[in-house]
Amino acid sequence: MARKTKRIGFIGYGQIGMTVHQMIDRDQANGMEVVFVHDMASERLKDLPDDLVLQDLGDFHSRDADLVVEMAHADVTRQWGTTILAKTDYLFISVTALANQDLEQDIQQTTYQYGTRAFIPHGGVVGMDALLENRDVWEEVHVTMKKPPKNVDCAAAGVDPESITKETVLYDGPTRGVCPLFPRNTNTLAAIAYAGIGFDRTHSTLVVNPQWDTATVAIHAHGGGIELDVERVEGITGVTGASTPASIYNTVQMIGSSGPGIHLR
Ligand SMILES: NC(=O)c1ccc[n+]([C@@H]2O[C@H](COP(=O)([O-])OP(=O)(O)OC[C@H]3O[C@@H](n4cnc5c(N)ncnc54)[C@H](O)[C@@H]3O)[C@@H](O)[C@H]2O)c1
């Protein structure tokens, strides 16, 4: 039986990158092989074999990856997205990058020019399929994200999370505006906007409270005689919800796995 192994390159080896790597390696039959790992913090890579470490991301094409997966920061897509897509397929999990309309257009255009594909994962979005499939009928999509302030990177917004002592609304408005203010925390909001009715029409509310120890995403969409309500509450470490690493692995294997088995799509 002929089976081509898919070569996967990693950018970002933090909480998600490390876990997804373990998950790929754990299943020998999935038909995927990690061929490079890049992280701007070299100490993150000290336990990896030398031949897996890619010090200079500019050399990524030397590893001949079929798919490059960003699990680092939206800056990576700004700096490298089109360069990568001129050579190979690219999955970027820091979806807030797409709130920049010029970048979104550049990515689209590059994929058409070079015949490559860009992917975004559903990540923290439960029900992305329903949002996407009915994107032409929704009259309104409203998302409320609730988190403890210590798990929100407020640097770009100029807010000190330590100073927040009670329930506080950090943002309430179109999703396009929240992404640059909290780029590491609003990937789920960005993915909901992109899947459904867009960054300008999707309304997002970001609320923090130091009494909370979980992260909540509540989606409400209605239109065309359909009401959709989805809410997930989960533990959170750093900027990442408990369910995210497994969700990202699932997306990587949906795109990259060439192994046997019954595949859900
Ligand atoms: N799509 C989703 O649902 C979703 C959910 C959670 C997190 N995320 C995003 O995924 C990314 C990774 O999350 P995490 O919890 O693993 O974070 P983390 O902080 O644990 O790890 C990020 C890693 O990326 C590296 N990095 C950061 N900027 C870089 C750059 N410009 N170039 C190279 N390396 C860089 C850091 O050194 C670090 O090792 C973040 O951007 C986060 O916002 C997306």
Side-chain angles (χ1 to χ4, degrees):
M1 177 186 56
R3 184 198 307 151
K4 185 181 179 304
T5 300
K6 289 280 169 57
R7 298 170 63 81
I8 315 285
F10 275 26
I11 306 171
Y13 206 61
Q15 206 185 150
I16 298 175
M18 233 190 261
T19 310
V20 173
H21 188 196
Q22 285 162 4
M23 288 172 147
I24 289 178
D25 280 1
R26 197 180 297 152
D27 179 4
Q28 295 295 314
N30 61 22
M32 294 189 284
E33 180 191 0
V34 177
V35 293
F36 75 76
V37 182
H38 169 82
D39 195 295
M40 70 180 187
S42 52
E43 71 274 10
R44 297 266 181 159
L45 310 176
K46 64 179 174 9
D47 295 330
L48 290 174
D50 287 350
D51 61 347
L52 210 52
V53 173
L54 183 71
Q55 297 288 1
D56 180 356
L57 191 51
D59 292 336
F60 78 93
H61 47 86
S62 68
R63 304 295 176 99
D64 196 23
D66 299 301
L67 175 71
V68 174
V69 187
E70 173 277 314
M71 294 167 284
H73 194 281
D75 282 348
V76 172
T77 297
R78 273 190 283 280
Q79 288 169 15
W80 292 96
T82 55
T83 308
I84 293 168
L85 282 163
K87 298 277 184 200
T88 194
D89 292 348
Y90 180 50
L91 165 65
F92 55 106
I93 79 163
S94 301
V95 190
T96 52
L98 278 184
N100 179 324
Q101 251 166 334
D102 291 339
L103 183 59
E104 181 196 338
Q105 279 166 15
D106 287 348
I107 287 172
Q108 283 274 16
Q109 199 187 327
T110 307
T111 62
Y112 278 93
Q113 187 177 348
Y114 293 94
T116 50
R117 298 190 298 166
F119 298 94
I120 63 169
H122 62 274
V125 189
V126 178
M128 193 203 244
D129 49 354
L131 284 167
L132 176 67
E133 287 152 14
N134 297 291
R135 64 180 8 171
D136 295 334
V137 305
W138 302 127
E139 287 151 27
E140 181 203 18
V141 179
H142 189 157
V143 196
T144 305
M145 176 180 264
K146 297 178 179 178
K147 286 183 173 173
K150 69 177 171 52
N151 297 100
V152 179
D153 182 344
C154 298
V159 175
D160 175 10
E162 302 271 320
S163 69
I164 298 170
T165 54
K166 59 180 187 348
E167 188 167 321
T168 304
V169 176
L170 289 179
Y171 184 87
D172 186 50
T175 303
R176 196 177 300 283
V178 75
C179 295
L181 290 173
F182 304 94
R184 293 179 70 223
N185 299 95
T186 53
N187 296 295
T188 298
L189 304 180
I192 289 165
Y194 199 70
I197 57 176
F199 283 89
D200 297 314
R201 288 178 61 212
T202 305
H203 192 105
S204 283
T205 307
L206 174 61
V207 193
V208 292
N209 187 331
Q211 309 295 321
W212 296 334
D213 59 3
T214 52
T216 302
V217 173
I219 306 168
H220 174 73
H222 81 90
I226 308 168
E227 293 285 332
L228 179 76
D229 279 293
V230 185
E231 178 173 297
R232 176 161 65 190
V233 182
E234 63 181 344
I236 180 166
T237 306
V239 294
T240 291
S243 64
T244 301
S247 166
I248 300 300
Y249 169 71
N250 188 46
T251 296
V252 172
Q253 72 86 32
M254 277 202 282
I255 301 166
S257 173
S258 55
I262 298 172
H263 293 260
L264 279 171
R265 290 287 184 267

